[in-house]
């Protein structure tokens, strides 16, 4: 309640066009503060006396601060209604009463209420000026304050002043989180350094791209042909190609010509700048096969570490005796009433004989059967086994298939997250805190990129073994590198590729057609009474119309309304009439039309409605969920759920993810997409009972064999392809895998030769 007993209207303010509300007041108390990130939870006494809990990135905020906050109301299932701050303005208290309150709150180390009273009595409204610029006066005129305490107080106030200056200078260009990073890097020199060379921001601060630094540089009058601009542009191209195209490095000529085009300058100027960067070790040049490749230093070190650690683990891991392996296999066959095929026996043998082992193969070839056998064998040898996968959905499937707990690799490594739980700050498990397990089994290993693989390897103790399980013919990982394929291509580690389709799988046209596609043959599109169907349609609009009809009418009519929860549309592209964006609009309109009984919320021109199917597109390890009275945290990239309730007054919605209820604040909607239709890339690591895929117009880079193969292998019970046979033929014939510039194959070979 307000202190004056009135009902406050602050909750009823009308948001502006961006959905933002402004609050002004004084910080009553700081409930939580993370010094590293600047993230705080605090109580704000508003101008009308209402007490509000606010959260956000506001570094060095202190009790007594006068602030104007801009943000949104949100509802936390644990803490209730809160105000999420997106922008803020802050100034130090100006009158003596506010200054006294500020200093009495022990905001400045070494100064409590008694000393605060003496300081304010001595200097009044000039207190902060004296403390910051004349600390010797403080020590001389205030009893109980030594020169050491006075100097420390002066430095602390200068730090707060420097942060205020940084916030004022950078707020037009970057948000509070990035400004904190900038200030943490350079302290009170942050503004000076940015004025002198704004390109350092994109090179040294994660989250600031070249374009943003370039706009700031232009505003500051930095010349277009500045050497630092050229050098920064070269580094930026490497970074973007790593994040967007998966390249770990680039050939020097490709890098130089790309930089010349991006920066609008001569090739020779870019070449000279590159040589300077290599000479100063800001970039790394590595000669391989007569061609020079350029790396960012961190990418070079990461690749080198992967090769070294893989070689070390393979060398140090003790092999199980061949005679014992034969007995283990016989015991497993007897217990499970099974007879392993020769390649399955070979896989079990190689896994027990080597520190690094790769098991690859398509659907129906028995990978899961081997994994279950190996878990039993390792546990019978009193070895501790850890199961993990790159994504939450893949880890869940691994748990269901093995009957053992499987975690995401991030969970296993105990990732620690900054701020709102989205950004990884570090992994707690690493070289200083190794995993206890003797055996690490990674499923869906084709999704491992270089960074996650290096983090995993740092946490594996010498003498332990790693089993990489996955389908090397699926799409490469989203991140930089192509680890599973590179390990196999190196030829230096034990690898078993399963090709035999087992009897039960042979009856599935999904399995046989997937293998046909993978071997470059057309799938059988003529069968009408199996689990794989083709419906020819010529125009993209007709393809989209048929998919909606299948989803809404034909499949429920044939298999019952409950089948609606089993259908997943997977498309090659986001764009076009049969791309995911348009399909989601059509399917939402058909399956979940507007109704007075349904809540709605519009975010960035997208309407979210009660009953909508949605997908989480980023890992958030701190989102709280509840299932049957049990609480936990974590919603992961690829998790699909249904919106159960939308509350505009609470600025949140309830989403059910596999029986977990999550209170989802509107400020997190950038992490959501509609999921009636998803891209093939987003489907990696997941399986769905029924998959519908449009064979439609799309960019040539997306019409590939491994994309079609990946889509087909996502289905458990049924595949329906709707569209053009010539598109399917084009995809089957196009065996161009996405080029990934990496050096891991050669690094491994150099390490082991």
């Amino acid at each position: 309640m307000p202190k004056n007993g009135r009902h406050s209207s602050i909750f009823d303010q009308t948001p502006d066009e961006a959905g933002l509300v402004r609050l002004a007041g004084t910080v009553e108390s700081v409930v939580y503060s993370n010094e590293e990130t600047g993230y705080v939870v605090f109580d704000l006494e508003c101008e009308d006396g209402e007490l509000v809990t606010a959260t956000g990135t506001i570094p060095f905020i202190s009790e007594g601060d006068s602030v104007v906050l801009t943000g949104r109301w949100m509802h936390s299932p644990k803490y209730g209604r809160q105000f999420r701050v997106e922008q803020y303005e802050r100034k130090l208290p100006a009158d003596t009463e506010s200054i006294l309150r500020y200093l009495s709150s022990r905001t400045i180390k070494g100064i409590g209420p008694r000393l605060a009273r003496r300081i304010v009595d001595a200097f009044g409204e000039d207190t902060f000026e004296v403390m910051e610029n004349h600390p010797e006066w403080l020590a001389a005129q205030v009893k109980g304050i030594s020169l050491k305490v006075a100097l420390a107080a002066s430095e602390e106030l200068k730090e707060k002043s420097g942060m205020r200056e940084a916030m004022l200078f950078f707020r037009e260009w970057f948000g509070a989180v990035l400004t904190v990073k900038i200030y943490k890097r350079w302290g009170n020199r942050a503004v000076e350094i940015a004025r002198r060379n704004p390109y350092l921001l994109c090179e040294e601060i994660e989250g600031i791209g070249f374009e943003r630094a370039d706009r700031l540089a232009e505003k500051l009058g930095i010349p277009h042909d500045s050497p630092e601009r050229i050098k920064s542009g070269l580094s930026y191209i490497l970074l973007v190609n790593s994040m967007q195209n998966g390249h770990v490095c680039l050939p020097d000529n490709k890098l130089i010509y790309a930089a010349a085009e991006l920066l609008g300058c001569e090739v020779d100027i870019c070449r000279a700048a590159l040589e300077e960067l290599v000479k100063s070790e800001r970039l790394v040049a590595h000669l391989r096969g007569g061609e020079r490749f350029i790396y960012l230093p961190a990418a070079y070190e990461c690749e080198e570490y992967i090769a070294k650690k893989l070689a070390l683990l393979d060398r140090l891991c003790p092999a199980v005796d061949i005679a014992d392996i034969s007995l283990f296999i016989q015991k497993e066959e007897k217990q499970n009433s099974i007879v392993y095929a020769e390649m399955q026996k070979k896989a079990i043998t190689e896994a027990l004989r080597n520190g690094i082992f790769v098991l690859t193969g398509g659907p129906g070839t028995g990978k899961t059967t081997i994994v279950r056998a190996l878990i039993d064998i390792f546990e019978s040898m009193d070895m501790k086994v850890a199961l993990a996968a790159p994504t939450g959905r893949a880890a869940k499937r691994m748990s269901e298939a093995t009957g053992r707990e499987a975690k995401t690799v991030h969970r296993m490594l105990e990732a620690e997250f900054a701020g709102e739980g989205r950004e990884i700050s570090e992994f707690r498990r690493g070289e200083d805190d190794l995993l206890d397990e003797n055996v690490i089994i990674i499923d869906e290993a084709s999704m491992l990129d270089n960074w996650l693989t290096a983090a995993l390897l740092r946490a594996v103790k010498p003498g332990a073994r790693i089993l990489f399980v996955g389908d090397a013919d699926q799409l490469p990982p989203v991140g930089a590198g192509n680890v599973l394929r590179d390990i196999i291509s190196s030829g230096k580690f034990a690898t078993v590729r399963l090709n035999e389709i087992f009897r039960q799988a042979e009856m599935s046209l999904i399995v046989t057609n997937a293998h046909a596609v993978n071997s470059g043959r057309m799938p059988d599109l003529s069968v009408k009474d199996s689990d794989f169907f083709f419906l020819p349609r010529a125009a993209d609009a007709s393809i989209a119309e048929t998919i909606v009809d299948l989803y809404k009418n034909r499949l429920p009519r044939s298999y019952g309304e409950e089948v609606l929860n089993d259908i997943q549309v997977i498309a090659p592209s986001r764009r076009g009439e049969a791309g995911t964006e348009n399909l989601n609009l059509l399917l939402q309109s058909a399956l979940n039309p507007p109704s007075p009984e349904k809540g709605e919320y519009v975010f960035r021109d997208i309407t979210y409605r009660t009953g909508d199917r949605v997908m989480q597109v980023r890992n958030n390890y701190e989102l709280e969920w509840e299932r049957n009275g049990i609480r936990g945290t974590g919603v992961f990239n690829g998790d699909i759920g249904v919106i159960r309730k939308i509350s505009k007054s609470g600025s949140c919605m309830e989403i059910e993810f596999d029986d977990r209820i999550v209170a989802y604040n509107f400020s997190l909607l950038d992490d959501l997409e509609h999921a009636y239709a998803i891209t093939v890339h987003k489907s990696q690591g997941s399986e769905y009972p029924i998959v519908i895929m449009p064979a439609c117009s799309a960019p040539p880079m997306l019409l590939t064999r491994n994309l079609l193969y990946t889509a087909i292998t996502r289905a458990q019970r049924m595949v329906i392809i709707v569209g053009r046979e010539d598109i399917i033929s084009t995809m089957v014939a196009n065996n161009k895998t996405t080029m990934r510039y990496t050096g891991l194959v050669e690094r491994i070979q150099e390490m082991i030769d």
Side-chain angles (χ1 to χ4, degrees), residues 329-340 369:
I329 291 174
Q330 291 174 25
K331 182 179 177 183
E332 284 297 307
E333 287 181 324
K334 184 175 180 181
Q335 285 183 345
N336 296 294
S337 301
I338 191 172
V339 176
Y340 295 117
T369 300

Side-chain angles (χ1 to χ4, degrees), residues 91-154:
K91 59 183 179 179
L92 285 172
D95 61 86
T96 54
E97 182 181 344
S98 297
I99 293 171
L100 176 61
R101 180 183 176 190
Y102 180 87
L103 292 177
S104 296
S105 68
R106 301 186 186 277
T107 296
I108 306 298
K109 291 176 183 176
I111 297 177
R114 290 184 181 179
L115 283 180
R117 168 60 68 184
R118 293 176 198 162
I119 294 169
V120 175
D121 285 347
F123 302 109
E125 293 182 358
D126 295 326
T127 292
F128 289 130
E129 165 68 19
V130 171
M131 290 180 69
E132 188 172 337
N133 299 312
H134 303 286
E136 68 279 5
W137 296 1
L138 203 65
Q141 298 183 41
V142 178
K143 183 180 178 182
I145 296 184
S146 66
L147 182 58
K148 181 179 179 181
V149 170
L151 289 171
S154 174

Side-chain angles (χ1 to χ4, degrees), residues 552-565:
K552 182 184 179 183
N553 302 311
R554 294 169 63 175
L555 288 172
R557 194 160 53 236
S558 298
Y559 300 100
E561 290 294 326
E562 61 274 10
V563 81
L564 285 170
N565 297 322

Side-chain angles (χ1 to χ4, degrees), residues 505-648:
E506 281 181 346
M507 299 171 66
S508 167
L509 199 55
I510 294 174
V511 173
T512 55
N513 273 345
H515 283 271
V517 167
N518 198 34
S519 62
R521 292 179 285 112
M522 277 291 286
D524 187 345
L525 305 179
S526 63
V527 179
K528 304 299 181 185
D529 59 354
S530 185
D531 56 4
F532 190 107
F533 302 90
F534 173 65
L535 300 178
R537 298 291 185 275
D540 286 357
S542 177
I543 293 170
E545 182 183 339
T546 301
I547 287 174
V548 173
D549 186 43
L550 280 166
Y551 205 140
K552 182 184 179 183
N553 302 311
R554 294 169 63 175
L555 288 172
R557 194 160 53 236
S558 298
Y559 300 100
E561 290 294 326
E562 61 274 10
V563 81
L564 285 170
N565 297 322
D566 295 338
I567 302 169
Q568 184 60 60
V569 178
I570 298 177
S573 175
R574 298 177 65 91
R575 310 290 185 221
E577 288 186 281
T580 59
E581 291 178 358
N582 189 52
L583 283 170
N584 273 315
L585 289 173
L586 295 175
L587 287 165
Q588 182 194 39
S589 177
L591 298 166
N592 192 30
S595 164
E597 287 77 39
K598 296 175 185 175
E600 284 190 1
Y601 184 74
V602 179
F603 179 78
R604 302 193 195 283
D605 297 326
I606 298 173
T607 300
Y608 289 97
R609 186 175 297 135
T610 303
D612 275 347
R613 179 187 284 194
V614 290
M615 172 183 275
Q616 173 81 6
V617 296
R618 295 181 186 87
N619 288 337
N620 189 323
Y621 285 75
E622 292 187 357
L623 265 177
E624 298 177 346
W625 53 260
E626 183 176 342
R627 180 198 287 137
N628 300 324
I630 299 172
R631 292 183 177 273
T633 59
V635 181
F636 308 112
N637 184 8
D639 281 356
I640 291 178
V642 176
I643 299 174
R644 296 303 184 198
K645 186 188 298 183
I646 294 177
S647 170
K648 287 186 178 179

